[in-house]
Amino acid sequence: MNGAYRSNTIHTMDKKQKKILFISGGLLTTGAIATALLLIRRRNKSQHGLLPPSGSSIKPSNILTTNNKVLPDTFRNWKGGTTYLSNMPRGIRNNNPGNLIYTNIKWNGKLPKAQNKDRRFEMFIAPEYGVRAMIKDLKNDINKGKNTVPALISEYAPKHENNTSAYINTVCRDLKVSKTAKLLPSQNTLRLLVLSISRVENGGNYVSNELFNKAYSMI
């Protein structure tokens, strides 16, 4: 091999090696910064009560979804107590089994933003108020023309954040209707919709017929 050629090759390789080392060092530095930021955020969350104490059996499932706002004394949770049920599904701990997103709608029993512990969804003072809001929301959508399960669920659970087709299939199966069947906002249809949708949203049967009837009587 020509000596000059070998020298240039070695010089080129040195440059590449330096570039790799520079990039690697940058990645390591970026990683260290990211790790430090995560540790600082975790410490801040711990100080604000958003992480469970060390050794606790409580699962921090709500770290990214809740804040440290204080609930009113009149708050009643799904179990009849007054505490925030942090281990329960999001819709249940918020008394919002339909997972209605926070809006300016003045729902009866809605907690104001200053008392709402969720960063995105509505919270209600008691379970029946959340079910009531869900009933009214579904009834309004049906009356506006979203009167088939696909039309209703595509509005209620859009594709960008849900498996909407599976959602539709589940609700059709629960209601025992086809995808083209026209829905009427009767009490029984709304009951079946509320029970089915809340089951999909929360992964369990949390809304009883008794709770639905109580909420429906408040409309």
Side-chain angles (χ1 to χ4, degrees), residues 170-186:
T170 297
V171 175
C172 281
R173 184 172 62 249
D174 289 346
L175 269 65
K176 295 181 173 58
V177 298
S178 69
K179 293 179 181 180
T180 58
K182 299 297 182 184
L183 303 176
L184 295 174
S186 66

Side-chain angles (χ1 to χ4, degrees), residues 46-217:
S46 181
Q47 289 174 348
H48 286 89
L50 294 181
L51 286 177
S54 178
S56 171
S57 61
I58 296 174
K59 297 177 182 178
S61 59
N62 58 334
I63 291 172
L64 300 179
T65 62
T66 61
N67 53 57
N68 62 340
K69 293 176 182 176
V70 179
L71 295 171
D73 294 337
T74 52
F75 178 79
R76 176 164 47 82
N77 66 35
W78 213 265
K79 295 182 177 180
T82 58
T83 58
Y84 185 64
L85 301 175
S86 60
N87 277 347
M88 298 293 279
R90 193 172 188 175
I92 303 307
R93 63 179 183 250
N94 291 337
N95 287 337
N96 177 10
N99 281 328
L100 300 178
I101 294 174
Y102 190 91
T103 65
N104 292 325
I105 297 174
K106 299 184 184 302
W107 300 113
N108 286 358
K110 166 180 175 169
L111 292 187
K113 199 69 173 175
Q115 296 175 329
N116 187 330
K117 290 183 69 65
D118 197 278
R119 298 181 185 278
R120 184 185 179 199
F121 293 100
E122 299 276 19
M123 277 195 75
F124 294 90
I125 196 72
E128 58 268 25
Y129 287 98
V131 177
R132 175 188 180 275
M134 187 179 179
I135 294 169
K136 287 184 70 69
D137 185 67
L138 290 168
K139 186 175 183 179
N140 182 58
D141 282 346
I142 292 172
N143 285 334
K144 287 193 306 183
K146 307 289 184 181
N147 58 353
T148 63
V149 171
L152 187 66
I153 299 303
S154 294
E155 170 87 4
Y156 195 93
K159 291 181 179 180
H160 68 273
E161 56 185 11
N162 296 276
N163 184 344
T164 306
S165 60
Y167 206 136
I168 289 168
N169 290 336
T170 297
V171 175
C172 281
R173 184 172 62 249
D174 289 346
L175 269 65
K176 295 181 173 58
V177 298
S178 69
K179 293 179 181 180
T180 58
K182 299 297 182 184
L183 303 176
L184 295 174
S186 66
Q187 181 174 348
N188 188 55
T189 297
L190 290 167
R191 177 179 65 83
L192 293 173
L193 282 169
V194 166
L195 268 58
S196 179
I197 290 172
S198 64
R199 187 160 48 246
V200 173
E201 292 289 331
N202 302 289
N205 298 311
Y206 291 97
V207 179
S208 64
N209 285 323
E210 292 76 14
L211 178 56
F212 174 85
N213 291 336
K214 183 177 183 179
Y216 192 85
S217 70

